Structure formats: C-alpha cells, structure tokens
Amino acid sequence: MKDILLVNPKFNISKDNYDSSISVGLLCLGSYLAAKGCSVKIIDGARQKNYDEILLQSTKDVKIIGFSVMTTQVAEALIDAEKIRKINSDAIIVFGGLHPTLFSEETAAHKLVDIAVHGEGEKTLFEIFNVLQNSQSKDEFKNKLSYIL
C-alpha cells in the first residue's frame, strides 16, 4: 500500500512521442516525502504511454492522491479525480501546482478536490499526511486539517 500517489495529469493535447523522464517537480516532492518516511509512487500522464491504466490500478489503496496541475491540465485532472472517487472514495484528493496557486478559491471549491495547495507543496503535503495518519475518519481528518491550513 502506498501512502501518497503523485500525479502529473495528461495535457489537453495528444502527444505521439513520450520520453521516459518524470516531471522534475514531482521528483522533488516525492523525494522530500520519501525522506520523511512516506511511501510514494509517481505517475506522469505527460510522459507515460499507458497512463490511464496505471492510474486506475494505482489508486485502489492510496491514502492521498496529489495532482500537480497547470491550467491546461485541469479538465483532465478532474476527469481523473472523478474516476478515482469511484475506485477509492476514501482517498484525499489534493490539487497543487500553478493553477491552484493562481486560482486557490476556485480550485478548493470544486466538489472533486478535497484540498488545494497554494505555493510550494512539500511541507504542506507532509502536514496533510501527518494529520491523516492521526485521524479515525475523513470527517475527523477535515476537522483537524482546518486548524493547520
């Protein structure tokens, strides 16, 4: 079981050629969380050919699913979040990246987004993980979280 799944969703344009490198931002975030003892998996829709299949298989037992979202990726990320909700309704869905930083209130208000992170996300995502670890339910988690955000 993974604690955190980090996702770079597909862009709204098709891409014929994929390379094997993963998003540097996700690598930085994942490295920080792994150093803090979190179990992390990274999926990159901009670079992995079978992204949809990997995403759906990887979300079943994950506690937190963090999307790194630019504005051009919002539509795809929301489609992914809706699919994830059907597979793992207990997962906490976090949107971070440029779009949530610029449009925090709009992003946080969406029904498929549990938390929108403004600015750098390493420490914030680790705080979210810690609060989740010490909560008995999703409601208790949300109550506790409101005190740190």
Side-chain angles (χ1 to χ4, degrees):
M1 174 189 245
K2 295 288 179 197
D3 294 322
I4 302 172
L5 176 66
L6 300 175
V7 180
N8 182 30
K10 293 186 286 188
F11 288 90
N12 59 352
I13 56 172
S14 62
K15 184 174 178 182
D16 294 329
N17 298 318
Y18 291 80
D19 60 37
S20 60
S21 61
I22 300 292
S23 166
V24 173
L26 290 181
L27 285 174
C28 291
L29 187 57
S31 296
Y32 177 85
L33 295 168
K36 294 287 190 179
C38 299
S39 174
V40 179
K41 180 174 182 168
I42 299 173
I43 301 174
D44 197 330
R47 293 172 175 83
Q48 291 177 285
K49 285 185 181 180
N50 50 347
Y51 165 78
D52 293 317
E53 180 182 324
I54 294 169
L55 178 67
L56 295 180
Q57 289 175 354
S58 301
T59 59
K60 293 177 184 166
D61 296 321
V62 178
K63 297 174 185 175
I64 299 170
I65 301 171
F67 285 90
S68 176
V69 186
M70 291 190 289
T71 302
T72 58
Q73 295 171 293
V74 171
E76 290 291 338
L78 290 172
I79 290 169
D80 291 343
E82 188 169 33
K83 291 176 187 174
I84 289 166
R85 284 275 187 243
K86 292 177 184 173
I87 295 169
N88 184 351
S89 61
D90 291 331
I92 304 301
I93 296 179
V94 180
F95 273 37
L98 187 58
H99 184 84
T101 295
L102 295 174
F103 306 102
S104 302
E105 290 181 22
E106 174 187 279
T107 304
H110 197 283
K111 66 180 181 179
L112 292 170
V113 178
D114 293 312
I115 301 166
V117 175
H118 181 272
E120 297 297 319
E122 289 86 351
K123 291 179 181 178
T124 303
L125 196 52
F126 185 63
E127 289 273 341
I128 292 167
F129 172 77
N130 282 330
V131 172
L132 183 61
Q133 290 294 99
N134 296 310
S135 300
Q136 298 297 317
S137 68
K138 201 169 184 176
D139 287 335
E140 182 183 349
F141 164 75
K142 288 182 178 181
N143 288 336
K144 287 181 178 179
L145 191 66
S146 66
Y147 293 107
I148 68 162
L149 294 179

